[in-house]
Amino acid sequence: MAKTALKGNEVNTIGDLPAIGSSIGDYEFTKQDLGGLKLSDLKGKKVILNIFPSVDTSTCATSVRKFNEQAASLNNTTVVCVSKDLPFAIARFCGAEGIQNVEATSDFRTLEFARENGIEMIDGPLKGLDARSIIVLNEEGKVVHTELVPEIVDEPNYEAALKAL
């Protein structure tokens, strides 16, 4: 079990982020059009998983915007934004913000993703949602970087995630 915090109050996750050098499962996320995006669809590409509680919070929205800006200049890299938000909310946000360079998805159908990768919050007011975290995969699908953001209201370390590529 790992720990994060929400405005200084400790929040536990169901486990720990995957180890560097390990592989994660072939999860299927739900896209805005209700279609699926499997991690195996991205084989041969570098992948940044930008994971957060909800796009309807300011820090989560900022992380999507910042990765959207960065993704436009990344070679052979896909940024997948993942939350428990319904695809309709994600589509509304991305449409209003002009988000086009990232894959904004939901893991609301793929509960094992958050559980198996240690990011489901198991207590606190956001219990059941994904903790703000980053998982970076190389072209072979191996984990090369992870971050569980210590304070949920803070942004992830974008520079460290991009450097890991």
Side-chain angles (χ1 to χ4, degrees), residues 32-68:
Q32 298 170 47
D33 65 3
L34 299 178
L37 173 68
K38 294 180 83 173
L39 286 177
S40 60
D41 296 338
L42 305 174
K43 188 127 178 122
K45 292 186 173 197
K46 299 171 195 168
V47 177
I48 297 174
L49 296 173
N50 174 32
I51 306 157
F52 50 85
S54 174
V55 76
D56 284 324
T57 66
S58 62
T59 306
C60 300
T62 297
S63 74
V64 173
R65 286 185 201 105
K66 285 192 177 179
F67 274 121
N68 183 63

Side-chain angles (χ1 to χ4, degrees), residues 10 17-18 33 36 43-44 49 53 115 119 127 144 148:
E10 189 173 276
L17 289 170
D33 65 3
K43 188 127 178 122
L49 296 173
R115 293 177 182 156
I119 58 171
K127 179 180 178 179
V144 296
L148 175 62

Side-chain angles (χ1 to χ4, degrees), residues 3-165:
K3 296 182 185 312
T4 185
L6 179 60
K7 298 181 180 177
N9 297 307
E10 189 173 276
V11 176
N12 294 292
T13 65
I14 199 164
D16 294 311
L17 289 170
I20 302 299
S22 67
S23 297
I24 65 172
D26 186 20
Y27 302 101
E28 183 173 15
F29 304 113
T30 305
K31 299 190 307 184
Q32 298 170 47
D33 65 3
L34 299 178
L37 173 68
K38 294 180 83 173
L39 286 177
S40 60
D41 296 338
L42 305 174
K43 188 127 178 122
K45 292 186 173 197
K46 299 171 195 168
V47 177
I48 297 174
L49 296 173
N50 174 32
I51 306 157
F52 50 85
S54 174
V55 76
D56 284 324
T57 66
S58 62
T59 306
C60 300
T62 297
S63 74
V64 173
R65 286 185 201 105
K66 285 192 177 179
F67 274 121
N68 183 63
E69 291 169 13
Q70 295 290 330
S73 64
L74 299 175
N75 292 326
N76 197 38
T77 303
T78 300
V79 177
V80 181
C81 298
V82 182
S83 71
K84 289 275 188 283
D85 288 308
L86 292 177
F88 315 111
I90 295 167
R92 175 184 35 78
F93 171 80
C94 290
E97 295 283 334
I99 304 293
Q100 298 179 352
N101 300 322
V102 299
E103 290 282 353
T105 67
S106 175
D107 65 337
F108 84 105
R109 291 182 180 154
T110 312
L111 300 177
E112 63 274 9
F113 170 71
R115 293 177 182 156
E116 292 173 2
N117 291 289
I119 58 171
E120 180 181 338
M121 292 183 275
I122 59 171
D123 54 25
L126 300 177
K127 179 180 178 179
L129 295 179
D130 299 341
R132 184 176 319 288
S133 51
I134 302 289
I135 301 173
V136 180
L137 308 172
N138 66 15
E139 296 92 330
E140 291 80 41
K142 300 287 186 187
V143 176
V144 296
H145 172 78
T146 63
E147 176 190 11
L148 175 62
V149 177
E151 173 58 62
I152 295 168
V153 299
D154 292 341
E155 294 176 54
N157 185 339
Y158 305 105
E159 186 176 317
L162 295 169
K163 186 177 179 182
L165 295 173

